[in-house]
Amino acid sequence: QVQLVESGGGLVQPGGSLRLSCTASGNILRINAMDWHRQGLGSQREWVASTTSSGITRYGDSAKGRFIISRDSTKNTAYLQMNSLKPEDTALYYCTMNVQTSTDNTARNYWGQGTQVTVSS
């Protein structure tokens, strides 16, 4: 079993920054992709950014130029540095990881519970 725990959310003024973290724990052999998603109130879930095990990163349109995804594989942790935040970035931010455990034949996707980010003056 694998658990993902996000942290770092909170209330920030427009133009401010936040750094989210997501750490996986459990019976982990290898973590492949690490992703961040978000869901605002009354909105559909939106993909924000991804990083592969080799460090290749991709960003959704809302994140390009403002957010940076990174990972520390030694700590099973993904990060999302969010800069120049806007009120429309207000959402519950989730991380997902594609994890290979010692008990599964194939890697599976796991989700965290989310951390709330509110951008408001």
Side-chain angles (χ1 to χ4, degrees):
Q1 189 71 4
V2 174
Q3 293 184 330
L4 273 59
V5 178
E6 299 98 335
S7 61
L11 174 64
V12 63
Q13 292 187 342
S17 298
L18 281 176
R19 189 192 194 206
L20 307 183
S21 300
C22 176
T23 299
S25 62
N27 194 15
I28 298 168
L29 284 181
R30 182 182 69 252
I31 301 178
N32 300 312
M34 296 180 175
D35 302 342
W36 286 95
H37 302 257
R38 69 184 186 184
Q39 187 167 18
L41 191 64
S43 301
Q44 291 187 336
R45 187 172 292 171
E46 174 189 7
W47 167 70
V48 176
S50 297
T51 179
T52 68
S53 57
S54 59
I56 297 172
T57 58
R58 295 185 300 123
Y59 297 92
D61 289 341
S62 63
K64 289 178 181 176
R66 299 188 300 128
F67 296 179
I68 300 172
I69 187 171
S70 61
R71 63 191 286 167
D72 185 339
S73 295
T74 66
K75 297 180 179 179
N76 293 333
T77 298
Y79 303 98
L80 186 67
Q81 176 67 43
M82 304 188 295
N83 303 317
S84 303
L85 283 162
K86 307 173 183 179
E88 51 264 43
D89 293 319
T90 296
L92 188 63
Y93 284 72
Y94 302 86
C95 74
T96 68
M97 296 189 185
N98 185 258
V99 181
Q100 177 68 60
T101 68
S102 62
T103 55
D104 289 331
N105 291 328
T106 60
R108 294 174 53 195
N109 290 328
Y110 293 87
W111 287 72
Q113 294 297 308
T115 184
Q116 178 67 37
V117 171
T118 302
V119 185
S120 175
S121 55

